[in-house]
Amino acid sequence: QVQLVESGGGLVQAGGSLRLSCEASGRTLSSSAMGWFRQAPGKEREFVASISWSGGNTLYADSVKGRFAISRDNAKNTVYLQMNTLKPEDTAVYYCAAGTRSPFAITTMRGFDAWGQGTLVTVSS
């Protein structure tokens, strides 16, 4: 059974940066898609970014394109989300997800079958 643990969240001022990490245990995810989603207070969980098994293909939500970058280190079974030029509207709980049934970058929640507990990112204005 896959376990995902996120870290790196916190409080940052608008315009600042944070780097989230998600370490997997229980099985190797080197052949799985990985992704990040977020859920702001009172809103539904939404797609942020995803990456294919090799890291060669990435997808981003329009709201984060050019500011966020997803990457992975399969040797460490870890995926990262570098977040730059943060805005107050980026405030949310960020969740890491693994899509063990697909090696390709995907955007839909149903494509992911393992989830972390989330890490809170708060961006102050």
Side-chain angles (χ1 to χ4, degrees):
Q1 185 174 354
V2 176
Q3 292 183 326
L4 303 174
V5 178
E6 302 98 334
S7 61
L11 174 63
V12 64
Q13 288 188 332
S17 299
L18 281 175
R19 188 193 195 204
L20 305 183
S21 299
C22 171
E23 184 173 0
S25 62
R27 63 172 282 181
T28 179
L29 295 178
S30 59
S31 60
S32 303
M34 298 294 295
W36 289 94
F37 289 74
R38 67 186 181 186
Q39 187 166 16
K43 295 188 177 182
E44 294 185 350
R45 192 172 299 189
E46 64 176 5
F47 168 76
V48 175
S50 67
I51 189 167
S52 62
W53 69 277
S54 66
N57 187 36
T58 56
L59 297 173
Y60 295 95
D62 287 343
S63 58
V64 306
K65 276 181 183 176
R67 300 189 298 123
F68 290 11
I70 187 171
S71 61
R72 66 190 298 164
D73 185 337
N74 286 340
K76 296 182 179 179
N77 229 18
T78 300
V79 64
Y80 306 96
L81 185 68
Q82 178 66 44
M83 305 186 296
N84 300 324
T85 319
L86 282 161
K87 305 175 181 180
E89 51 264 43
D90 294 319
T91 295
V93 176
Y94 283 71
Y95 296 91
C96 173
T100 63
R101 297 186 297 267
S102 173
F104 308 111
I106 47 180
T107 62
T108 57
M109 286 183 59
R110 63 177 178 269
F112 294 90
D113 51 356
W115 294 83
Q117 293 299 306
T119 185
L120 177 62
V121 172
T122 304
V123 184
S124 62
S125 57

